[in-house]
Amino acid sequence: MSGSGVRGTVTMHDVAAAAGVSVKTVSNVVNDYPHIRPATREKVQKAIDELGYRMNLSARSLRQGRTGIIGLALPELSLPYFAELADSVIRAAEARGVVVLIEQTGADRQHELDVLTSDRRQLTDGLIFSPLELGPDDADALKVDYPLVVLGERIFGGDWDHVTMNNVDAARAATQHLIDQGRRRIAVIGAHAGETMGSAALRVLGYQAALAANGIPLDPSLIVEGGLWHRATGAECVDHLVSTGVEFDAIFGLNDALALGALHALHARGIAVPDPVAVIGFDDIEDAAYTSPTLSSISPGREQIAQEAVDLLLARIAGGGDPYRRVIADFTVVPRESTGG
Amino acid sequence: MSGSGVRGTVTMHDVAAAAGVSVKTVSNVVNDYPHIRPATREKVQKAIDELGYRMNLSARSLRQGRTGIIGLALPELSLPYFAELADSVIRAAEARGVVVLIEQTGADRQHELDVLTSDRRQLTDGLIFSPLELGPDDADALKVDYPLVVLGERIFGGDWDHVTMNNVDAARAATQHLIDQGRRRIAVIGAHAGETMGSAALRVLGYQAALAANGIPLDPSLIVEGGLWHRATGAECVDHLVSTGVEFDAIFGLNDALALGALHALHARGIAVPDPVAVIGFDDIEDAAYTSPTLSSISPGREQIAQEAVDLLLARIAGGGDPYRRVIADFTVVPRESTGG
DNA sequence: GGTAGGCTTTACATCGTTGCAAAGACGTCC
DNA sequence: GGACGTCTTTGCAACGATGTAAAGCCTACC
């Protein structure tokens, strides 16, 4: 405990005094300024160790205009996909020496807008933003004066970096996988009517493309609306399908939560999976490997998305007016029991 | 965009100049100092609005020694219980005007120790800490000079506030629930041999108490070790049970992830739930309501825990040398299909 | 009319760090 | 021997806010 008085009490001044050098020299040592005589560096380091000096980060932030914190805005952590994404982002950030401040928007449009202009942006050097409700009309709101990386498919073409995946291709692959298992009456759950951007719209496009490529007619009654992609919604969609009496031999949940809800509802009605009804999800959350039956899904390259997002953001924070980039992460189909895999 | 130049460019000085008052008066207005003439307040507010002034939080932090950020250290967000806990903590914090910096310890002892002394503690006004690996021997490490609220059951009796639940009673209730369904050969999965503190030990105690209260003999072969409370561990525990040939008609997973893994393994072996084997978990994560069959569990009052933790922490940050408190959250048994409910 | 005392406002120093520019130290080269 | 260039170190002035203490302004009361 030598020298460690009240918290934050030891300043560079104290270290400088103890080491017999100027404050600036201490600063230089701490910041690895190259031109320091080894003997000096040693003296200073010794004083630092003895006094237990810790740099005051607020002071440094004030001086440098940087906090070392990045923001991550997402709908909510209780959605497993976003929890896992946050996990990956935090790990990636930690590996690069920054920390993460998480803000939940609750998938509320106004809240998503607020996050962009919140006072908290002061605390962060940049923001990784995963909007669910903003649309192309809100592009102006994204014209912010701090580094921004946008995740997802809702808004394009602005002055920011973008990390996304090929939703159309991935959904096509998911659908093709079902077709390969001999399914022809494939329901999609979680569609968003009227949208042309966003994961829902793009994934439905992929679904339609796969059907077309296989000469399977599109039956609109197999496309079920579902606003929030929660488990409960998935169950409701299945209830809807069953109650309308449509025939179907497979379900494509536009995300895993929907698919989990679907599994639940099918089970409750005594409909077995994968026969007569196969199910595939999207996101490949951890749960998918532990449901009964296990859930086939699309793995969106979560780690890759997180790392790319953090890298892009940090590069932007570091400066350099590189052109804004759009990174497309890889996906893979993960077959499990729910599609007979 | 009037007046909003480069980010952070508008300072109190600018506002003061525009309003024709001193910088301190601007500060007073911003901080709701009571003795300000309405006319002055109005002038200043007008200047603030026109210039788009935002307070520089780094400067305020430096001056006040507070950042408005609280830390939350937990094992990992990809464990649903902790994701949901983080969700609740962030909401509670937001309602009280502070933000949350999340650090993952990966359930690694050294990492848990590091978090307590990390440079990042400089950025936070206090810490909510949910250790998994620290034990009573590490109590000294928790003697920190910043506000600390500890969650869980691993360490007691130090100078910090504590939010926990009655693990023994809750586990007893879970076990009693199984007994009430006529079960007598109840396996417990996820036990930690040799521990006397911690959720595992306490929950096993509750389990034993329930057996004793019902005159059911304790069979050690029904207590299965399992270090990390992940889904995979739960599956392994069941595999172990089955392979040793022990007879059992119920499984008590010491948390829901274990129970989910157990459901998975039982399903894979064609053993139905709840008959012949009933399953109950602990934590009542969202998933529990959507598994097939749905999973009975113990709801630990997550919201309450989060709110109490944030309140205690903020009270401690605000000062006042109140005696350290220990809050015990309420729990409820949530019966679902996996126990025949 | 003078003054005590409360309400408003202000100037200044300060929080702990880093950028800047310049000073000092030292060796080299002509 | 002196000028020059490089390596080290330094003092000072910021960064943008707030605490302190004091000054100015009123009102009220004697």
Side-chain angles (χ1 to χ4, degrees):
Chain A
M1 287 300 239
S2 75
S4 86
V6 180
R7 179 190 194 194
T9 259
V10 182
T11 80
M12 273 191 180
H13 257 96
D14 304 323
V15 175
V21 298
S22 75
V23 185
K24 190 68 225 280
T25 297
V26 178
S27 171
N28 286 339
V29 169
V30 170
N31 292 289
D32 285 322
Y33 178 74
H35 303 301
I36 305 175
R37 216 179 311 168
T40 310
R41 180 187 303 279
E42 213 169 301
K43 255 191 322 193
V44 172
Q45 191 57 53
K46 182 155 163 281
I48 288 177
D49 295 342
E50 280 175 356
L51 297 178
Y53 167 74
R54 312 297 291 277
M55 166 120 71
N56 180 315
L57 297 177
S58 291
R60 160 186 277 195
S61 299
L62 172 58
R63 195 59 241 249
Q64 298 193 329
R66 297 229 191 116
T67 60
I69 307 177
I70 62 177
L72 172 63
L74 41 71
E76 44 180 323
L77 286 174
S78 48
L79 293 174
Y81 173 72
F82 291 106
E84 294 179 13
L85 179 67
D87 181 325
S88 298
V89 167
I90 291 174
R91 282 178 212 275
E94 165 144 39
R96 292 157 181 78
V98 298
V99 291
V100 180
L101 198 71
I102 296 182
E103 300 194 65
Q104 302 191 120
T105 60
D108 174 71
R109 177 163 175 279
Q110 189 54 49
H111 209 143
E112 289 186 345
L113 288 172
D114 290 346
V115 147
L116 290 168
T117 57
S118 154
D119 273 336
R120 289 148 190 192
R121 296 285 66 76
Q122 281 268 354
L123 287 170
T124 57
D125 297 336
L127 179 67
I128 297 176
F129 184 34
S130 178
L132 270 194
E133 292 297 325
L134 297 188
D137 292 348
D138 299 304
D140 278 351
L142 291 185
K143 291 192 174 127
V144 294
D145 53 5
Y146 51 83
L148 175 68
V149 173
V150 177
L151 306 184
E153 302 281 358
R154 300 197 61 83
I155 311 174
F156 291 108
D159 287 353
W160 55 80
D161 296 299
H162 210 120
V163 180
T164 181
M165 67 175 303
N166 194 325
N167 274 290
V168 177
D169 281 0
R172 176 166 29 212
T175 311
Q176 185 65 51
H177 174 65
L178 291 169
I179 295 171
D180 291 345
Q181 313 298 313
R183 313 293 164 158
R184 290 294 178 275
R185 301 283 305 163
I186 303 173
V188 179
I189 61 176
H192 290 177
E195 285 189 11
T196 56
M197 295 296 253
S199 304
L202 296 174
R203 291 178 192 176
V204 170
L205 276 183
Y207 160 81
Q208 294 173 332
L211 294 186
N214 290 270
I216 301 176
L218 179 69
D219 179 352
S221 62
L222 285 173
I223 301 182
V224 184
E225 297 294 312
L228 285 175
W229 285 359
H230 287 192
R231 298 178 186 84
T233 310
E236 288 159 15
C237 288
V238 168
D239 290 343
H240 174 77
L241 274 173
V242 171
S243 68
T244 58
V246 196
E247 209 178 307
F248 59 98
D249 56 11
I251 295 176
F252 174 18
L254 292 183
N255 83 346
D256 280 349
L258 291 165
L260 291 178
L263 284 182
H264 174 70
L266 290 170
H267 174 82
R269 292 172 174 278
I271 304 173
V273 175
D275 289 303
V277 175
V279 177
I280 192 166
F282 200 115
D283 282 346
D284 194 30
I285 63 178
E286 275 192 39
D287 253 335
Y290 288 93
T291 51
S292 310
T294 54
L295 177 67
S296 301
S297 193
I298 298 291
S299 168
R302 193 186 87 209
E303 288 287 329
Q304 189 194 355
I305 290 176
Q307 292 180 13
E308 293 275 14
V310 173
D311 284 338
L312 283 174
L313 188 64
L314 293 183
R316 193 63 63 191
I317 290 170
D322 301 343
Y324 293 100
R325 289 184 52 204
R326 176 165 170 205
V327 174
I328 300 182
D330 305 321
F331 69 88
T332 52
V333 177
V334 183
R336 295 203 182 87
E337 292 167 5
S338 68
T339 55
Chain B
M1 284 299 238
S2 75
S4 86
V6 180
R7 180 188 193 194
T9 258
V10 181
T11 81
M12 271 190 181
H13 256 94
D14 303 324
V15 175
V21 299
S22 77
V23 185
K24 190 66 223 282
T25 296
V26 178
S27 171
N28 287 339
V29 169
V30 170
N31 292 289
D32 285 323
Y33 177 74
H35 303 302
I36 305 175
R37 214 178 314 169
T40 310
R41 181 188 303 279
E42 212 169 302
K43 256 192 321 193
V44 172
Q45 191 57 54
K46 180 154 165 282
I48 288 177
D49 294 342
E50 279 175 358
L51 297 176
Y53 167 74
R54 313 298 291 276
M55 168 122 70
N56 180 316
L57 297 177
S58 292
R60 159 188 276 192
S61 299
L62 172 58
R63 196 58 240 249
Q64 299 194 146
R66 299 230 190 114
T67 60
I69 307 177
I70 63 176
L72 172 63
L74 42 72
E76 42 180 325
L77 287 174
S78 49
L79 294 173
Y81 173 72
F82 291 106
E84 294 179 11
L85 179 67
D87 181 325
S88 297
V89 168
I90 291 174
R91 281 177 212 276
E94 165 144 38
R96 292 157 181 78
V98 298
V99 290
V100 180
L101 197 71
I102 295 183
E103 300 195 64
Q104 302 191 119
T105 61
D108 173 71
R109 178 165 176 279
Q110 189 55 49
H111 208 143
E112 288 187 345
L113 288 171
D114 290 346
V115 148
L116 289 167
T117 57
S118 153
D119 273 338
R120 290 150 190 190
R121 296 285 66 75
Q122 282 270 353
L123 286 171
T124 57
D125 297 335
L127 180 67
I128 297 176
F129 185 33
S130 177
L132 270 193
E133 292 297 324
L134 297 187
D137 294 348
D138 299 305
D140 277 352
L142 290 187
K143 292 194 172 123
V144 294
D145 54 5
Y146 51 82
L148 175 68
V149 173
V150 177
L151 306 185
E153 301 281 356
R154 300 197 61 83
I155 311 174
F156 291 110
D159 288 353
W160 55 79
D161 296 299
H162 210 121
V163 179
T164 181
M165 67 176 301
N166 194 324
N167 274 290
V168 177
D169 281 0
R172 178 168 24 214
T175 311
Q176 185 64 51
H177 174 66
L178 291 169
I179 294 171
D180 291 346
Q181 313 298 314
R183 313 293 163 158
R184 289 296 178 273
R185 302 282 304 162
I186 303 172
V188 177
I189 62 177
H192 291 175
E195 285 189 11
T196 56
M197 294 297 253
S199 305
L202 296 174
R203 291 177 193 177
V204 169
L205 276 183
Y207 161 79
Q208 294 172 334
L211 294 186
N214 290 271
I216 301 175
L218 179 69
D219 179 351
S221 63
L222 285 173
I223 301 183
V224 184
E225 298 292 312
L228 285 175
W229 285 358
H230 287 193
R231 299 178 185 84
T233 311
E236 288 159 16
C237 288
V238 168
D239 290 343
H240 174 78
L241 273 172
V242 171
S243 69
T244 59
V246 197
E247 210 179 308
F248 60 97
D249 57 11
I251 295 176
F252 174 19
L254 291 183
N255 82 347
D256 280 348
L258 291 164
L260 290 178
L263 283 182
H264 174 71
L266 290 170
H267 174 82
R269 293 172 174 277
I271 303 174
V273 175
D275 289 301
V277 175
V279 177
I280 193 168
F282 199 114
D283 282 346
D284 193 32
I285 62 177
E286 274 192 40
D287 253 335
Y290 287 92
T291 53
S292 311
T294 54
L295 177 67
S296 300
S297 193
I298 298 291
S299 168
R302 196 185 87 209
E303 287 288 328
Q304 188 193 356
I305 290 177
Q307 291 180 14
E308 294 275 13
V310 172
D311 284 338
L312 283 172
L313 188 64
L314 292 183
R316 193 63 64 191
I317 289 170
D322 302 342
Y324 293 100
R325 289 185 53 203
R326 178 167 169 204
V327 173
I328 300 181
D330 306 320
F331 68 88
T332 52
V333 178
V334 183
R336 295 203 183 88
E337 293 168 5
S338 69
T339 55

